[in-house]
Structures are given as C-alpha cells and as structure tokens.
Amino acid sequence: MESFPIGLMPGATYVNRTVPSPPGTSVLMYSDGLTDISDAKGQPVLDEKRLVDHVRANATLSQADMIQSLFTRAEAPPGEETYPDDLTVFLVTRT
C-alpha cells in the first residue's frame, strides 16, 4: 500500500479511513528501515513480498514473538553492529 510518510512534511493533511476489522484482525505497521535492510550481496532481506510471506507463515505467533521474529530475520547488515536506518515495528490485534 503506497502512502505519504507520517510526520515528513509539516502541515501535511491526511485522509482518515475506517476499515472494518473483526476480532482477531491484526495490523502491522513498520518503518522503511525494516524493508530496506540488505544482505551481503545487496539484496533486500525483507522486501514487502518477503515481509508479507513471513507474517503469513508465522501468523500463529504471539505479538511479542512475531515482532521478535521480524527483528531476528532482519538482522543488521554484514559487518555492521547496528542498522543503517531506524527500525520500528508496531503490531496491533483487535480482541
């Protein structure tokens, strides 16, 4: 889903939308730092398709375990101790 980054432009306006979500529905929000990490060959570790595949394959994990699995999958690039960009993941599940 393409969108305008939140907080990038002062005074920007955003469209509010309501999306029906039955109990058990989860929403995963993340910064681009998660999908921008590359491996030693410069290939994305978790591009959007791999991210969706990973979340679907691990859908039965708890919220904490899902987030941990994403951080584990998206380890810092080879030769670096830290990530080159911010890495934020926020998971909300309706009860």
Side-chain angles (χ1 to χ4, degrees), residues 43-86:
Q43 298 300 312
V45 174
L46 277 177
D47 57 17
E48 287 188 28
K49 181 187 180 321
R50 288 183 180 115
L51 176 61
V52 169
D53 290 347
H54 179 86
V55 170
R56 285 183 176 153
N58 294 283
T60 59
L61 293 177
S62 68
Q63 287 178 312
D65 288 342
M66 174 64 78
I67 291 171
Q68 184 59 53
S69 76
L70 290 169
F71 284 129
T72 300
R73 178 85 188 268
E75 62 187 29
E80 297 185 33
E81 292 182 22
T82 60
Y83 298 97
D85 196 356
D86 68 293

Side-chain angles (χ1 to χ4, degrees), residues 15 24-25 36-38 41 48 53 59 71 80-81 84-85 92:
V15 176
T25 300
D36 287 349
I37 297 172
S38 299
K41 296 178 182 176
E48 287 188 28
D53 290 347
F71 284 129
E80 297 185 33
E81 292 182 22
D85 196 356
V92 178

Side-chain angles (χ1 to χ4, degrees), residues 17-29:
R17 295 187 183 167
T18 301
V19 178
S21 56
T25 300
S26 294
V27 176
L28 178 73
M29 295 168 270

